[in-house]
C-alpha cells in the first residue's frame, strides 16, 4: 500500500516538472475542493513541489520558509504553497490579483 502511495506521488512530481501554469499544478494536485485549491501529500519525500516546478521553469517570488512560498509560472500565473496546500495566486499579500492569472 505504501508503495502505491509513493508511486502516485512520483507521478504527480513528474507532471509538475512540465507544469506550464497554475491550472496545470491545480489539475495535477486536485482535491475536489474547488478549482483554485490543491494538496501535495508527498511532503515527507525526497523531492518537493518547488524542485519540480523549478525544473518546469517556475521562479520563486516570495518565501517565508520551505513550507510557505509563492512561485510564478513561465506564463505569469502563480501558486502559493502552505504546508502542502496549494492555492491559486499570490496569497501572501503582495498581489492584488488573487486569481494568479496574469494581468492583461
Amino acid at each position: 500500500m505504501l508503495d502505491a502511495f509513493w508511486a502516485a506521488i512520483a507521478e504527480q512530481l513528474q507532471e509538475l516538472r512540465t507544469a506550464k501554469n497554475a491550472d496545470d499544478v491545480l489539475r495535477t494536485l486536485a482535491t475536489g475542493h474547488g478549482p483554485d485549491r490543491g494538496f501535495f501529500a508527498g511532503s515527507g519525500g525526497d523531492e518537493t513541489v518547488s524542485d519540480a516546478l523549478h525544473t518546469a521553469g517556475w521562479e520563486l517570488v516570495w518565501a517565508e520558509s520551505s513550507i510557505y512560498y509563492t512561485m510564478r509560472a513561465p506564463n505569469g500565473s502563480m501558486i502559493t504553497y502552505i504546508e502542502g496546500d496549494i492555492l491559486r495566486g499570490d496569497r501572501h499579500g503582495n498581489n492584488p490579483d488573487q486569481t494568479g492569472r496574469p494581468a492583461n
Side-chain angles (χ1 to χ4, degrees):
M1 181 116 148
L2 197 54
D3 289 340
F5 171 81
W6 288 110
I9 295 301
E11 186 175 317
Q12 287 178 335
L13 289 166
Q14 185 59 38
E15 289 182 37
L16 292 176
R17 287 184 198 104
T18 61
K20 302 293 184 213
N21 54 53
D23 288 336
D24 290 347
V25 172
L26 292 165
R27 187 173 31 258
T28 299
L29 302 175
T31 63
H33 293 144
D36 294 332
R37 300 184 67 87
F39 184 76
F40 180 67
S43 60
D46 293 334
E47 189 174 0
T48 65
V49 168
S50 64
D51 290 338
L53 293 178
H54 275 294
T55 299
W58 289 58
E59 65 181 350
L60 187 65
V61 173
W62 171 88
E64 182 173 297
S65 69
S66 63
I67 59 171
Y68 185 24
Y69 56 85
T70 299
M71 294 187 78
R72 181 181 300 117
N75 79 335
S77 62
M78 291 186 271
I79 59 103
T80 299
Y81 180 99
I82 307 168
E83 297 183 17
D85 289 310
I86 312 291
L87 304 172
R88 181 185 303 277
D90 179 350
R91 301 301 280 265
H92 83 281
N94 287 345
N95 183 3
D97 178 10
Q98 296 298 308
T99 66
R101 294 180 183 97
N104 291 333

